[in-house]
Structures are given as C-alpha cells and as structure tokens.
C-alpha cells in the first residue's frame, strides 16, 4: 500500500483558522514536508519531535520530490504545508503534487485559509471571474509592463504585495491601468491590525502613501477588471457620452463614461467634448 499526500492549509494569521481536520492530519502523518520547518513546527508543538520534517522550498523542490515519492511508495503518509495559507498558491508544492499524481499516488486536499480568497470575500468586487497574478516583478519597468499586459482582463485582478511595496505598486498600477479603476487593499487579514480599504486606484495610492501603518505587514491588492467587451459593445458609447454630457460637467461625465465602458480616460474626455 502506498501512502497518501495531504495538502494541508494552515492559518494566514489567526490560529483559530487552523481546522480540526488540518490538526488531525498533521497529528497522524509520519512525515511533514514544510517550506520552513522551524515555522511549521510551531503548529504542533506537542508532536514536533515525533514527526520526520523535510524542507521543501523553491530551491530544492526538484530533488526533494524523489525522496518524498520514495517515502510514499514505502507506505508513509505525508502532509505538505507552507508557511501560511494554502500550499501551491504562490508557495512551493506544484512539482511535488504533479509528480505524486503522475505516479498514481493519492493526493488529498485539506482546505482552509488563503489570503486571495479571504480578500475577495470581503472586497465587494466582482468574483464571478478573477485573475490571480501572485507577486508582480520587483522593478518598476517590468511591473508596469506586466500590469499593462493585464489591462484588458475581464475579471478582478488579484496580487500578493508585501505592504511596504504598496505605494510603489499602486503608483505603477495608476500609470499602467489609469487611476479610475476601483480597487481594494486587504492588509493583515485575520490579524490584529486587519484593514480593508477601498476606492479608486488614485485614492488608494494617495491614502496608502500618506499612512505609514498601511505599509506594514502583508497585503492583497485587488483591482477591478476592464468592463467586458460584450458589455462595452452592447452600450452605444456615443449615445451615453451625449446623455452624460447633457447632464453633468465634462470632467464628471468623462469619469462616469470611463467607469461604465472601461474605455481609456483620454478617449472618454474626447468623446464627451465631441458630444457637447
Ligand atoms: N499560500 C498563501 C495563501 O494561501 O494565501 C500565500 C503565500 S505568499 C508567499 C504570501 C503573500 O500572501 C503575502 O506577501 C501577502 O501578499 C499574502 N498574505 C499572506 N497572509 C496575508 C494576510 N494575513 N493578509 C493579507 N495578505 C496576506
């Protein structure tokens, strides 16, 4: 009999989010593969010395997979955990799961906290479709290029951002996507200083830059996707621009037009000017 690989989610802050099933699984398995074994030992202090710990991180995943496969073939059950949240979600484990499945060995999820899903659940942005990008490149130019490539995605965009990088990332998002899109910064979720800020990208860039507290800890940045192609072609943009221009001052009319159609701000201004 081969063993089973359990992919076990752990809390992203609040330890009460450690599920009974996750605790039971970690208490039962012979081996725990962990991103950082010192961090994960704290999850089961009473049994930490009774388990075989194996470090599995981005730098050793390929060679550690063979060792873990060997243990599974000997019949040992293994749990995979990461430092926080759900393994494989911007965390190591993909190569292991792939290899274990390819070997015909059972992989079972023990689901739980995930920062992206927690953020989406409280953001109030569309969740019917979303694009998870994980971490953006660290340098401005590469980050802007990547953000620009996502400008046409028709679904909420999700990013993992260390909070100290929020001012720079929000600045690049404004430059690449325009300042008008709705966005949410969900920071320190499930922890003591949890905050969820919403507003346009312009608003959030200003608020976060002015508040050092918003630059501490960990954050998820969510940005509304571009209005869908179908929606914007269904709308008669010129007619909408005329109606808005008749009712509102030009700048407000253009802002509403941008929001409703997803068109570029400059294009909306031009259309409103033409309609007046
Ligand atoms: N696997 C994890 C998960 O399921 O969410 C994510 C691991 S990734 C290496 C770490 C990133 O997740 C952080 O930089 C931050 O962007 C986000 N994150 C983790 N915990 C968070 C929290 N409590 N609040 C907000 N974001 C968090």
């Amino acid at each position: 009999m081969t063993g089973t690989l359990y992919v076990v989610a752990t809390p992203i802050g609040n330890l009460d989010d450690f599920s009974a099933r996750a605790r039971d699984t970690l208490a039962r398995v012979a081996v725990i593969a962990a991103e950082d074994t010192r961090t994960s030992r704290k999850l089961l202090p009473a049994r930490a010395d009774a388990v075989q710990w194996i470090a599995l991180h981005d730098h050793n995943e390929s060679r550690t997979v063979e060792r873990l496969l060997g243990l599974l073939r000997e019949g040992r059950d293994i749990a995979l955990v990461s430092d926080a949240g759900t393994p494989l979600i911007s965390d190591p484990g993909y190569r292991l799961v792939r290899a274990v499945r390819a070997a015909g060995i059972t992989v079972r999820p023990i689901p739980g906290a995930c920062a992206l899903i927690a953020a989406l659940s409280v953001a109030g942005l569309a969740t019917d479709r979303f694009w998870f990008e994980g971490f953006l490149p660290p340098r401005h130019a590469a980050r802007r290029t990547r953000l620009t490539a996502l400008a046409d995605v028709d679904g909420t965009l999700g990013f993992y951002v260390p909070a100290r990088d929020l001012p720079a990332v929000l600045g690049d998002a404004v430059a690449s996507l325009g300042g008008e899109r709705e966005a949410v910064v969900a920071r320190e979720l499930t922890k003591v200083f949890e905050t969820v800020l919403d507003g346009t990208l312009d608003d959030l860039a200003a608020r976060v830059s002015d508040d050092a507290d918003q630059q501490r800890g960990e954050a998820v940045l969510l940005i509304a996707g571009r209005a869908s192609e179908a929606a914007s072609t269904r709308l008669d943009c010129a007619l909408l621009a005329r109606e808005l221009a008749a009712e509102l001052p030009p700048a407000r009319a253009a802002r509403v037009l941008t929001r409703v159609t997803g068109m570029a701000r400059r294009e909306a201004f031009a259309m409103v000017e033409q309609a007046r």
Side-chain angles (χ1 to χ4, degrees), residues 12-13 82 84-87 89-91 113-116 135 159-162 186-191 218-220:
I12 55 169
S82 58
T86 302
I89 308 301
S90 286
D91 268 336
C114 172
L116 171 75
F135 291 97
F159 305 92
Y160 280 164
V161 185
R187 198 182 56 87
E188 294 292 87
L189 292 170
T190 79
K191 302 184 195 174
E218 304 187 278
V220 179

Coordinates of all heavy atoms in Angstrom, one line a residue, residues 12-13 82 84-87 89-91 113-116 135 159-162 186-191 218-220, ligand 1:
I12 N -3.5 32.1 8.0 CA -2.8 33.2 7.5 C -2.6 34.2 8.6 O -2.2 35.4 8.3 CB -3.4 33.8 6.2 CG1 -4.9 34.2 6.5 CG2 -3.3 32.8 5.1 CD1 -5.5 35.1 5.4
G13 N -2.9 33.9 9.8 CA -2.7 34.9 10.9 C -3.4 34.3 12.1 O -2.7 33.9 13.1
S82 N 2.7 25.0 3.9 CA 3.6 26.1 3.6 C 3.7 27.0 4.9 O 3.0 26.7 5.9 CB 3.2 26.9 2.4 OG 1.9 27.3 2.5
A84 N 2.2 29.7 5.5 CA 0.9 30.2 5.9 C 0.0 30.0 4.7 O 0.4 30.1 3.5 CB 1.0 31.7 6.2
G85 N -1.3 29.7 5.0 CA -2.3 29.6 3.9 C -2.2 28.3 3.2 O -1.8 27.2 3.7
T86 N -2.6 28.3 2.0 CA -2.8 27.1 1.1 C -1.5 26.9 0.3 O -1.1 27.7 -0.4 CB -4.0 27.3 0.2 OG1 -5.2 27.5 1.0 CG2 -4.2 26.0 -0.6
P87 N -0.9 25.7 0.5 CA 0.3 25.4 -0.3 C 0.0 25.5 -1.8 O -1.1 25.3 -2.2 CB 0.6 23.9 0.1 CG 0.0 23.7 1.5 CD -1.2 24.6 1.5
I89 N -0.3 28.0 -3.6 CA -0.8 29.3 -4.0 C 0.3 30.3 -3.7 O 0.4 30.7 -2.5 CB -2.1 29.6 -3.3 CG1 -3.1 28.5 -3.4 CG2 -2.7 30.9 -3.8 CD1 -3.5 28.1 -4.9
S90 N 1.1 30.7 -4.7 CA 2.3 31.5 -4.5 C 3.2 30.8 -3.5 O 3.9 31.6 -2.7 CB 2.0 32.9 -4.2 OG 1.5 33.6 -5.3
D91 N 3.2 29.6 -3.4 CA 4.0 28.8 -2.5 C 4.5 27.5 -3.2 O 3.9 27.1 -4.1 CB 3.2 28.4 -1.2 CG 3.3 29.5 -0.1 OD1 4.4 30.2 -0.1 OD2 2.4 29.5 0.7
A113 N -7.5 28.4 5.0 CA -7.2 29.8 4.7 C -6.4 30.0 3.4 O -5.5 29.2 3.1 CB -6.5 30.5 5.9
C114 N -6.8 31.1 2.7 CA -6.0 31.5 1.5 C -6.2 33.0 1.5 O -7.3 33.5 1.4 CB -6.5 30.8 0.3 SG -5.7 31.5 -1.2
A115 N -5.1 33.8 1.5 CA -5.2 35.2 1.5 C -6.0 35.8 0.4 O -6.8 36.7 0.5 CB -3.8 35.9 1.6
L116 N -5.8 35.3 -0.8 CA -6.5 35.8 -2.0 C -8.0 35.6 -1.8 O -8.8 36.5 -2.0 CB -6.1 35.0 -3.3 CG -7.0 35.3 -4.5 CD1 -6.6 36.7 -5.0 CD2 -6.8 34.3 -5.6
F135 N 2.7 37.5 -7.2 CA 3.6 38.6 -7.0 C 4.0 39.3 -8.3 O 4.3 38.5 -9.3 CB 4.9 38.2 -6.3 CG 4.6 37.7 -4.8 CD1 4.5 36.4 -4.5 CD2 4.6 38.7 -3.8 CE1 4.3 36.0 -3.2 CE2 4.4 38.3 -2.5 CZ 4.2 37.0 -2.2
F159 N -3.4 40.4 -6.6 CA -2.0 40.4 -6.5 C -1.6 40.2 -5.0 O -2.2 40.8 -4.1 CB -1.4 41.8 -6.9 CG -1.8 42.2 -8.3 CD1 -2.9 43.0 -8.5 CD2 -1.0 41.8 -9.4 CE1 -3.3 43.4 -9.8 CE2 -1.4 42.2 -10.7 CZ -2.5 42.9 -10.9
Y160 N -0.5 39.5 -4.8 CA 0.1 39.5 -3.4 C 1.2 40.6 -3.4 O 2.1 40.6 -4.3 CB 0.7 38.1 -3.2 CG -0.3 37.1 -2.8 CD1 0.0 35.7 -2.8 CD2 -1.6 37.4 -2.4 CE1 -0.9 34.7 -2.5 CE2 -2.5 36.5 -2.0 CZ -2.2 35.1 -2.0 OH -3.1 34.2 -1.6
V161 N 1.1 41.4 -2.3 CA 2.0 42.5 -2.2 C 2.5 42.7 -0.8 O 1.7 42.9 0.1 CB 1.3 43.9 -2.6 CG1 2.3 45.0 -2.7 CG2 0.6 43.7 -4.0
P162 N 3.8 42.6 -0.5 CA 4.3 43.0 0.8 C 3.9 44.4 1.0 O 4.1 45.3 0.1 CB 5.8 42.8 0.7 CG 6.0 42.0 -0.5 CD 4.9 42.2 -1.4
A186 N -6.4 44.8 1.0 CA -6.8 44.0 2.2 C -5.5 43.6 2.9 O -4.7 42.8 2.3 CB -7.5 42.7 1.7
R187 N -5.3 44.2 4.0 CA -4.0 44.1 4.7 C -4.1 43.4 6.1 O -5.1 43.6 6.8 CB -3.4 45.5 4.9 CG -1.9 45.6 5.2 CD -1.6 47.0 5.4 NE -2.4 47.6 6.5 CZ -2.0 47.5 7.7 NH1 -0.9 47.0 8.1 NH2 -2.8 48.1 8.7
E188 N -3.1 42.5 6.4 CA -3.1 41.8 7.7 C -4.4 41.1 8.0 O -4.9 41.2 9.1 CB -2.8 42.9 8.8 CG -1.4 43.5 8.7 CD -0.3 42.4 9.0 OE1 0.1 41.7 8.1 OE2 0.1 42.3 10.2
L189 N -4.9 40.4 7.0 CA -6.2 39.7 7.2 C -6.1 38.7 8.3 O -5.1 38.0 8.4 CB -6.6 39.0 5.9 CG -7.0 40.0 4.7 CD1 -7.1 39.2 3.4 CD2 -8.2 40.7 5.0
T190 N -7.2 38.7 9.1 CA -7.4 37.8 10.3 C -6.4 38.1 11.4 O -6.4 37.4 12.4 CB -7.2 36.3 9.9 OG1 -5.8 35.9 9.8 CG2 -7.9 35.8 8.7
K191 N -5.6 39.2 11.3 CA -4.7 39.6 12.4 C -5.2 40.8 13.1 O -6.3 41.4 12.7 CB -3.3 39.9 11.8 CG -2.7 38.7 11.0 CD -1.3 39.0 10.6 CE -0.8 38.1 9.5 NZ 0.4 38.5 8.9
E218 N 1.4 42.4 5.5 CA 1.2 41.7 4.3 C -0.2 42.1 3.7 O -1.1 42.4 4.4 CB 1.1 40.2 4.5 CG 2.3 39.6 5.2 CD 2.3 38.1 5.3 OE1 1.6 37.6 6.2 OE2 2.9 37.5 4.4
A219 N -0.2 42.1 2.4 CA -1.4 42.7 1.7 C -1.8 41.9 0.5 O -0.9 41.4 -0.2 CB -1.3 44.2 1.4
V220 N -3.1 42.0 0.2 CA -3.6 41.5 -1.1 C -4.2 42.8 -1.8 O -4.9 43.5 -1.2 CB -4.7 40.5 -1.0 CG1 -5.3 40.1 -2.3 CG2 -4.2 39.3 -0.2
Ligands
LIG1 N1 -0.1 30.4 0.2 C1 -0.5 31.7 0.8 C2 -2.1 31.8 0.7 O1 -2.8 30.8 0.6 O2 -2.6 32.9 0.7 C3 0.2 32.8 0.2 C4 1.7 32.8 0.4 S1 2.5 34.1 -0.3 C5 4.2 33.5 -0.2 C6 2.5 35.3 0.9 C7 1.6 36.6 0.5 O3 0.3 36.3 0.7 C8 2.0 37.8 1.2 O4 3.0 38.5 0.7 C9 0.7 38.6 1.1 O5 0.6 39.2 -0.2 C10 -0.4 37.5 1.1 N2 -0.8 37.3 2.5 C11 -0.5 36.2 3.4 N3 -1.1 36.4 4.5 C12 -1.8 37.5 4.5 C13 -2.7 38.2 5.4 N4 -2.9 37.8 6.6 N5 -3.3 39.4 4.9 C14 -3.1 39.8 3.7 N6 -2.3 39.2 2.8 C15 -1.7 38.1 3.2

